[in-house]
Amino acid sequence: MRKNIIIMKLYQLFTGMWLFSALAVVFFQDVCQSYTLAILAYTMISIVSGIVEVPLSILSDRYSRKFNIIISSICFFLNMLFWALAGIYNSVWMLFLGSSMRGLAVALQSGTDTAIIYETMCDLRSKKLFDKVYSQICSFHQMGLLVSAITGMVVTYYFPLIYLVWLSVIPAFLKIFISIQLKNPKSNADDKLTPWQQLVKSVKLLKSRKKLRNYVSMTILDGSILLTMYRFEALYFAKLIPLYLINVVRIITHTSGYFSFLLMPIFRKINFLQLLFYSRIGMAVIRIIGLVLNNALTPFVTSFTNLGYGIGVTAQTTLQQKEYNKSLRATMASLCGLLQSFLIAIMGYVFGAIADFYSVETALWVAVIVQIGIAVLYNNLFKVYKKI
């Protein structure tokens, strides 16, 4: 089972190797010729993921974690292929088809990848080390993003963006062969429930467990606003610096994220809710400094917000995994993912409209205000659950 840990590190590495991720919104906008449509291309990922996430996670809980991951990898490959074709033919419908495939891939992966790690640690009788191992595995995702940023910087300096989009197809294809090497953890289902019973039981548990409900609500809100800001930053940065320098910014961003995950074990003894409060406040302060500067230094200053990302993700995941029912781990996580998908879709439309009618900078200011509010809510939860 230890092999699973190594495979998941490689899986996360290749998942992060979306080589044009730093310029994805710019690429979408070039194809669509509209900020709103560009963000809606992203939003389509959340919509499709939201529709199929729960039924696919039920299959993961009931049958096979490995099967979900393999099919997810195939969908990621098709996603990159359709996006590359959209750039060649300047096709909006092909762009949205690629986004739909990515939504399906995300749905298949959602909850399952984390469940594999948690259950593998249980099989190895090392459950207490989950947060440490999880942060190490996630650091490989940041490493993949770092490789993407470096590759993107070099390629976009010499060639048009479409070359980088086509290069992204290669790691997506290789990820299929990595996922095939996974082993299913020991059966996580003690009670043989029907799919409908799994869903009903998961909903009831989310409704009845107040602590879990609070954690999930905060994670959904927090994750939605962070993802929305990440997507809009490239559009904002493109107005301040040349495109190839955006990848330099992403190099700093993902280097910060990489070290954020590696530093997480140092903070293990601190209350995780307190960590979430401090990390979100710190991220908001850095973003405010960048927005106030509003010049070529802004992207480089903002890149250091990722120092709080790994700490926050690990804390959120660990808190939730401790509260999930062991036989419904993927289903419960995907219910949360479903709700987050809808919120991301709403935020994408709202902030896209703000960017179209006012400016991208205004949209980011509103997002920072929301992030500060989230930090305050984390602090309130800390006061309630101090002994966690």
Side-chain angles (χ1 to χ4, degrees), residues 262-319:
L262 291 185
L263 291 172
M264 178 60 197
I266 298 174
F267 303 105
R268 291 184 72 205
K269 294 183 179 180
I270 302 176
N271 184 285
F272 282 175
L273 289 169
Q274 200 170 22
L275 277 177
L276 284 163
F277 168 69
Y278 289 133
S279 67
R280 272 33 185 178
I281 284 293
M283 293 169 79
V285 169
I286 293 172
R287 277 199 170 88
I288 288 172
I289 293 172
L291 287 168
V292 169
L293 288 172
N294 195 32
N295 57 31
L297 288 175
T298 294
F300 298 95
V301 171
T302 305
S303 64
F304 287 100
T305 56
N306 234 26
L307 285 170
Y309 176 73
I311 294 171
V313 168
T314 304
Q316 289 170 339
T317 304
T318 304
L319 287 171

Side-chain angles (χ1 to χ4, degrees), residues 130-358:
F130 168 76
D131 59 315
K132 183 178 180 180
V133 173
Y134 179 78
S135 62
Q136 291 173 351
I137 290 173
C138 288
S139 71
F140 276 76
H141 183 257
Q142 292 296 313
M143 191 185 299
L145 292 169
L146 177 58
V147 171
S148 297
I150 294 172
T151 306
M153 177 185 65
V154 174
V155 173
T156 54
Y157 185 80
Y158 293 101
F159 304 100
L161 181 55
I162 188 62
Y163 283 77
L164 191 62
V165 177
W166 274 101
L167 280 175
S168 297
V169 176
I170 298 172
F173 180 71
L174 294 175
K175 194 168 73 166
I176 298 172
F177 296 95
I178 293 171
S179 60
I180 291 172
Q181 306 303 314
L182 275 171
K183 289 184 178 180
N184 272 314
K186 292 180 180 179
S187 177
N188 61 305
D190 296 324
D191 45 352
K192 299 299 181 181
L193 301 175
T194 65
W196 175 251
Q197 288 172 328
Q198 283 181 253
L199 177 60
V200 171
K201 186 175 180 180
S202 297
V203 172
K204 286 182 178 179
L205 287 172
L206 285 170
K207 289 174 65 177
S208 62
R209 296 182 180 179
K210 185 177 180 181
K211 187 189 295 184
L212 176 60
R213 191 169 67 248
N214 286 334
Y215 292 163
V216 166
S217 299
M218 290 305 304
T219 299
I220 290 171
L221 184 58
D222 188 21
S224 298
I225 197 65
L226 285 177
L227 187 57
T228 301
M229 285 192 285
Y230 181 83
R231 290 172 176 176
F232 271 89
E233 280 177 347
L235 292 171
Y236 178 47
F237 295 166
K239 296 183 176 182
L240 302 174
I241 57 176
L243 281 183
Y244 73 92
L245 282 181
I246 292 179
N247 285 293
V248 177
V249 171
R250 291 306 192 201
I251 290 172
I252 301 172
T253 298
H254 300 310
T255 301
S256 299
Y258 175 73
F259 282 108
S260 179
F261 280 109
L262 291 185
L263 291 172
M264 178 60 197
I266 298 174
F267 303 105
R268 291 184 72 205
K269 294 183 179 180
I270 302 176
N271 184 285
F272 282 175
L273 289 169
Q274 200 170 22
L275 277 177
L276 284 163
F277 168 69
Y278 289 133
S279 67
R280 272 33 185 178
I281 284 293
M283 293 169 79
V285 169
I286 293 172
R287 277 199 170 88
I288 288 172
I289 293 172
L291 287 168
V292 169
L293 288 172
N294 195 32
N295 57 31
L297 288 175
T298 294
F300 298 95
V301 171
T302 305
S303 64
F304 287 100
T305 56
N306 234 26
L307 285 170
Y309 176 73
I311 294 171
V313 168
T314 304
Q316 289 170 339
T317 304
T318 304
L319 287 171
Q320 289 178 134
Q321 288 295 323
K322 288 179 179 178
E323 299 297 321
Y324 286 154
N325 182 287
K326 66 178 183 178
S327 63
L328 300 168
R329 203 171 295 282
T331 304
M332 296 180 78
S334 289
L335 280 170
C336 304
L338 170 63
L339 296 174
Q340 183 166 311
S341 295
F342 288 131
L343 185 56
I344 289 172
I346 293 169
M347 283 190 175
Y349 179 79
V350 171
F351 284 94
I354 292 173
D356 274 334
F357 285 104
Y358 297 97

Side-chain angles (χ1 to χ4, degrees), residues 46-58:
S46 301
I47 293 172
V48 173
S49 175
I51 293 171
V52 300
E53 190 164 0
V54 174
L56 290 176
S57 66
I58 291 175

